């Protein structure tokens, strides 16, 4: 009924938890690994997964490589991250509803529930986050973006399921900040591409659509947040999340999360955009050249 596909790189801290969990849903689990150096492969093979390896460029490229090269025999595909797992309620919902869905439905939006330092981040506009993670085999590809990539459906309609999947990363803050430093470079590339148009690819349309949270969020990001002056907008965004959207009610973990993810990370993106444009102007280079040669991005 469903193939679960998971992208991995050095995920020994998470992958066994995820495999035990999704085995309740399916016996077909595909791993696409970026040549892990820890025990990720050993654990995956122990649980009988189909294990593939491919050099990593970004999540979109890796998922599309899997879609193009892995033989999928089940009628539905579920994309899951290695630090995520499904609630028992969602597992039962998928088992019950997928066989009865009308043919017109080719994609399913699911709710992501984020935990940070053992705390469910309920507020700050962070829950529920609706993401298209489940689609009919042959109908979905990932849009060509370096960050915030989503599944694009070739045709058909979407529906929503009621229950949640969980994002619960177990790594420490040193790992988290290093990861988001890398993400900030990718996000800066996306922001610069919006301005200079040096990358090609089909993307989700940014528009207000009450049925599609991803399109609506992208519209606000491009048309509201993107028009506020750099370095000022992270301050307003943090205030909006932490005060207006009641992020302060998430306690100590909420303060850390909303400050780091809602202010520090966004400020870092602006700082990188500014630095890249400054280098390009000063040295009479394109921003793409700076990203490729100074920031080592494979554009």
């Amino acid at each position: 009924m469903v193939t679960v596909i998971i992208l991995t790189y050095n995920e020994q801290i998470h992958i066994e938890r995820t495999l035990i969990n999704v085995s309740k849903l399916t016996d077909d689990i595909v791993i696409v690994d970026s040549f892990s150096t820890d025990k990720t492969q050993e654990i995956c093979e122990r649980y009988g997964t189909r294990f593939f390896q491919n050099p990593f460029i970004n999540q979109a490229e890796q998922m599309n490589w899997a879609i193009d090269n892995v033989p999928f025999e089940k009628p539905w595909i579920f994309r899951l991250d290695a630090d995520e797992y499904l609630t028992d309620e969602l597992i039962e919902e998928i088992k019950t509803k997928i066989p009865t869905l009308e043919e017109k439905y080719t994609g399913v939006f699911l709710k992501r529930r984020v935990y940070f330092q053992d705390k469910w981040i309920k507020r700050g506009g962070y829950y529920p986050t609706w993401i298209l993670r489940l689609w009919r085999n042959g109908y979905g590809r990932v849009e060509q973006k370096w960050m915030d990539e989503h599944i694009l459906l070739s045709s058909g309609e979407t529906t929503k399921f009621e229950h949640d999947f969980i994002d619960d990363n177990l790594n420490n803050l040193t790992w988290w900040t290093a990861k988001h430093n890398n993400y900030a470079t990718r996000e800066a590339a996306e922001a610069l591409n919006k301005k200079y148009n040096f990358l090609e690819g089909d993307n989700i349309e940014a528009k207000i659509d009450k049925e599609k949270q991803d399109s609506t969020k992208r519209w606000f990001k491009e048309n509201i947040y993107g028009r506020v002056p750099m370095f000022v907008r992270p301050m307003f965004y943090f205030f909006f999340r932490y005060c207006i959207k009641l992020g302060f009610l998430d306690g100590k973990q909420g303060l850390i999360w909303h400050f780091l993810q809602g202010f520090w990370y966004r400020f870092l993106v602006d700082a990188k955009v500014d630095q890249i444009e400054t280098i390009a102007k000063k040295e009479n280079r394109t921003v793409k050249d700076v990203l490729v040669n100074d920031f080592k991005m494979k554009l």
Side-chain angles (χ1 to χ4, degrees), residues 213-246:
Q213 190 184 64
D214 51 0
S215 299
T216 301
K217 281 190 170 184
R218 187 162 294 173
W219 187 91
F220 276 99
K221 186 175 180 180
E222 293 179 2
N223 293 279
I224 305 298
Y225 182 86
R227 295 185 180 184
V228 178
M230 288 172 56
F231 304 115
V232 175
R233 55 196 181 190
M235 301 177 192
F236 280 106
Y237 183 51
F238 171 71
F239 177 80
F240 174 76
R241 277 176 53 164
Y242 195 67
C243 299
I244 305 300
K245 299 296 288 184
L246 307 180

Side-chain angles (χ1 to χ4, degrees), residues 174-187:
T174 298
W175 180 94
W176 191 96
T177 51
K179 172 186 173 184
H180 280 74
N181 179 43
N182 180 266
Y183 281 178
T185 302
R186 300 187 202 177
E187 187 106 32

